[in-house]
Amino acid sequence: MKKTLSFSVISLLTIGTAFGATPWWQQPTVCRLDPTSCYSNMGIGYDRELWDATSECWGMKMICPEALKQSDGQPTPIGKTDIAKGTSINQDFDTNVLNGDCFGARKTTSNGTMASVNGEYVKVWCNGILDNADEFLPNGEITFGQQPTCSDLAEYGYVAVVNNRCYGKYYDPSEYYIECEGNSLTPSRIVLLNGAYDYNTGSDSSISDKNSANKLFDKMESTSETQREKYFKQK
């Protein structure tokens, strides 16, 4: 018994002498955590203190709640491998885009005028056009349900064309009449009431003297009156 104990002590002393020149934290007999990082740069939107067991590295992306299929309403750390699989990610969101203090912004295209909803792209309407907007984006607002029709928009003087970086160009109802036909989202034509010409008609270049100018004004006045009677009938 004594011999065995003496041998053990001598063995430990011998091992300690062998590794005496090596710091204890670098000795092969000491368990060390893997220092590998999952991402090269981890600033806002990352938690560098979390161990990603799926990828066996340090650091996890914080995914915004709206970018997840199921969420408790708070940013959630998701492993790098799981993000790549996409099984828990909402298909309408891009988890490569930082959105505040977490990752996951709604996908857009056409310079931000179209946004992904349920896997399909819908128009981003200029702020204030939709009666009930479901979500507000940097360029405007979107609805998840039925998109507005030509008649819906025309009621407030709007047309479904790009206006800067959103849809919805305004035409003053006192100056223009927006004519809609069928289920088309865009108008069949836009009538310039005061000018008495259709929107795409252009100008008359045959005015050469006062007499021809007076004739043109008389024609404009007559046509304008006809248009008003046609489109703004008294009830």
Side-chain angles (χ1 to χ4, degrees):
M1 181 69 177
K2 290 182 179 180
K3 291 183 178 180
T4 303
L5 178 60
S6 298
F7 177 77
S8 299
V9 172
I10 292 172
S11 298
L12 288 173
L13 290 173
T14 303
I15 294 173
T17 303
F19 293 110
T22 304
W24 67 267
W25 59 89
Q26 292 182 0
Q27 293 178 13
T29 55
V30 176
C31 295
R32 298 194 304 273
L33 293 175
D34 189 339
T36 304
S37 296
C38 296
Y39 304 93
S40 57
N41 296 305
M42 287 186 279
I44 299 175
Y46 294 92
D47 190 327
R48 64 174 63 248
E49 304 300 325
L50 292 178
W51 172 254
D52 183 354
T54 63
S55 301
E56 297 186 350
C57 53
W58 285 100
M60 299 179 75
K61 266 187 177 182
M62 302 299 293
I63 306 301
C64 299
E66 56 270 24
L68 296 171
K69 292 180 178 178
Q70 294 183 341
S71 171
D72 59 1
Q74 299 295 325
T76 303
I78 303 294
K80 192 173 184 179
T81 300
D82 290 336
I83 292 176
K85 289 180 179 178
T87 53
S88 61
I89 306 298
N90 186 324
Q91 64 178 337
D92 296 320
F93 287 79
D94 186 349
T95 55
N96 292 314
V97 179
L98 184 63
N99 185 12
D101 59 356
C102 54
F103 283 89
R106 187 173 291 277
K107 295 176 182 178
T108 61
T109 188
S110 302
N111 201 28
T113 60
M114 303 288 289
S116 180
V117 174
N118 296 325
E120 298 181 356
Y121 281 91
V122 301
K123 289 178 172 57
V124 176
W125 300 97
C126 298
N127 291 323
I129 291 181
L130 297 177
D131 290 334
N132 295 296
D134 290 307
E135 187 175 315
F136 295 92
L137 302 178
N139 289 4
E141 54 194 31
I142 59 174
T143 177
F144 301 153
Q146 183 68 38
Q147 299 297 311
T149 64
C150 176
S151 298
D152 294 333
L153 298 170
E155 184 177 357
Y156 300 99
Y158 287 99
V159 173
V161 295
V162 176
N163 179 13
N164 193 14
R165 296 184 66 183
C166 55
Y167 277 84
K169 187 173 181 180
Y170 180 72
Y171 288 87
D172 190 337
S174 67
E175 298 180 9
Y176 299 92
Y177 176 77
I178 303 171
E179 186 176 87
C180 301
E181 289 185 359
N183 296 323
S184 176
L185 180 58
T186 55
S188 54
R189 64 174 179 168
I190 301 175
V191 179
L192 178 59
L193 298 176
N194 291 337
Y197 286 107
D198 284 356
Y199 175 68
N200 294 319
T201 298
S203 60
D204 193 328
S205 59
S206 62
I207 302 175
S208 58
D209 53 28
K210 183 178 180 180
N211 185 49
S212 58
N214 287 335
K215 288 183 179 179
L216 175 61
F217 282 122
D218 288 342
K219 179 181 178 182
M220 290 173 63
E221 182 180 9
S222 176
T223 307
S224 180
E225 183 177 351
T226 301
Q227 296 284 9
R228 287 184 182 280
E229 290 178 355
K230 178 180 179 181
Y231 295 111
F232 294 92
K233 296 179 180 180
Q234 295 293 330
K235 293 183 179 180

